[in-house]
């Protein structure tokens, strides 16, 4: 029940209850249902909390605080043909996952996926998961992903198929971004620059 004693019997009732809130100073609340799927059981450690740019209020600062925005590093246009760093590829704006959520996803899939049998893979298992998240989240195909991860088109196809099967087995869904992130345009420009470089052609063998 909400504070008025109204039973919260559906998502619609919850949204209506939240959206009906207002203050005498003119605050109005807008509520929307988020239908995305997120990993569960994720905690935020003390170190992560301490690193947040918070300004706590004098009255019950443990509950009342202002969270200040942090500028995200822009993805620079490629000039040298070098692949982007993992930090840029794992930008939450692209993956839809906070860093600790991405690490949790990698740990969840590792027991079944990081078997290390046969020839060592071109990519680490963490990079395999990251590439697949980018594939599902922002619709990057195997060819540009192969450029970004310095892999081959064939190996990337195998990677995407493998990780997608692991996600399905764990009943984990990576929802597509509703609107293309701003960082995606810069990433595509980097792919184009690397693809045109004589030293950065897409490899065609595993």
């Amino acid at each position: 029940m909400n504070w008025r004693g109204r039973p919260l019997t559906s998502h619609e009732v919850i949204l209506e209850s939240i959206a009906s809130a207002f203050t005498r100073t003119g605050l109005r609340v807008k509520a929307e249902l988020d239908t995305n799927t997120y990993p569960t059981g994720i905690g935020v450690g003390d170190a992560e909390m301490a690193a947040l740019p918070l300004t706590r209020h004098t009255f019950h600062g443990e509950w009342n605080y202002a969270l200040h925005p942090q500028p995200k590093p822009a993805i620079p246009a490629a000039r040298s043909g070098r692949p982007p760093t993992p930090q840029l590829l794992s930008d939450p704006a692209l993956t839809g996952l906070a860093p600790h959520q991405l690490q949790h996803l990698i740990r969840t899939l590792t027991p079944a996926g990081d078997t290390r049998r046969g020839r060592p893979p071109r990519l680490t298992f963490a990079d395999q998961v990251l590439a697949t998240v980018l594939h599902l989240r922002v619709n990057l195909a195997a060819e540009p992903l192969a450029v970004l991860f310095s892999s081959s088109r064939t190996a990337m196809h195998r990677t995407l198929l493998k990780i997608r099967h692991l996600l399905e087995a764990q009943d984990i869904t990576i929802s597509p971004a509703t609107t293309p992130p701003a960082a995606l345009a810069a990433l595509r420009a980097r792919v184009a620059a690397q693809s045109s470089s004589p030293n950065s052609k897409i490899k065609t063998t595993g």
Side-chain angles (χ1 to χ4, degrees):
M1 292 187 180
N2 68 357
W3 65 276
R4 291 181 175 177
R6 182 184 182 186
L8 302 177
T9 55
S10 66
H11 289 137
E12 289 74 16
V13 171
I14 295 173
L15 291 175
E16 289 174 3
S17 299
I18 296 173
S20 64
F22 65 92
T23 66
R24 295 177 181 176
T25 56
L27 173 68
R28 292 293 184 271
V29 178
K30 180 180 179 181
E32 295 181 0
L33 179 63
D34 184 355
T35 58
N36 291 327
T37 301
Y38 301 95
T40 59
I42 298 174
V44 179
D46 293 339
E48 288 179 285
M49 284 296 297
L52 292 175
L54 294 177
T55 300
R56 298 190 180 276
H57 297 182
T58 304
F59 181 75
H60 282 293
E62 69 275 20
W63 300 329
N64 303 303
Y65 50 81
L67 177 60
H68 305 287
Q70 285 182 310
K72 294 179 180 177
I75 299 179
R79 294 182 180 179
S80 62
R82 293 179 297 177
T85 63
Q87 290 78 12
L88 295 177
L89 290 173
S90 59
D91 186 342
L94 293 169
T95 64
L97 299 171
H100 66 276
Q101 291 176 314
L102 180 59
Q103 291 304 314
H104 178 78
L105 177 62
I106 293 169
R107 289 195 299 270
T108 299
L109 299 179
T110 293
D114 195 10
T115 55
R116 302 184 185 278
R117 291 195 298 264
R119 186 175 65 176
R122 186 184 299 273
L123 298 178
T124 65
F125 186 71
D127 280 348
Q128 293 177 43
V129 174
L130 176 57
T132 307
V133 169
L134 292 172
H135 169 66
L136 297 171
R137 178 72 179 172
V138 294
N139 198 30
L140 279 178
E143 185 165 308
L145 285 170
V147 174
L148 292 170
F149 286 86
S150 299
S151 182
S152 71
R153 185 189 299 112
T154 303
M156 186 57 68
H157 274 296
R158 289 198 299 263
T159 291
L160 297 178
L161 183 63
K162 166 188 169 182
I163 302 301
R164 290 185 70 162
H165 284 165
L166 293 176
L167 290 169
E168 291 172 3
Q170 295 286 338
D171 199 24
I172 297 173
T173 301
I174 304 296
S175 300
T178 54
T179 57
L184 184 58
L187 202 60
R188 292 189 185 279
R190 180 182 284 272
V191 170
Q194 288 180 225
S195 299
S196 62
S197 170
N199 298 323
S200 302
K201 291 294 185 182
I202 298 176
K203 306 175 184 66
T204 56
T205 61

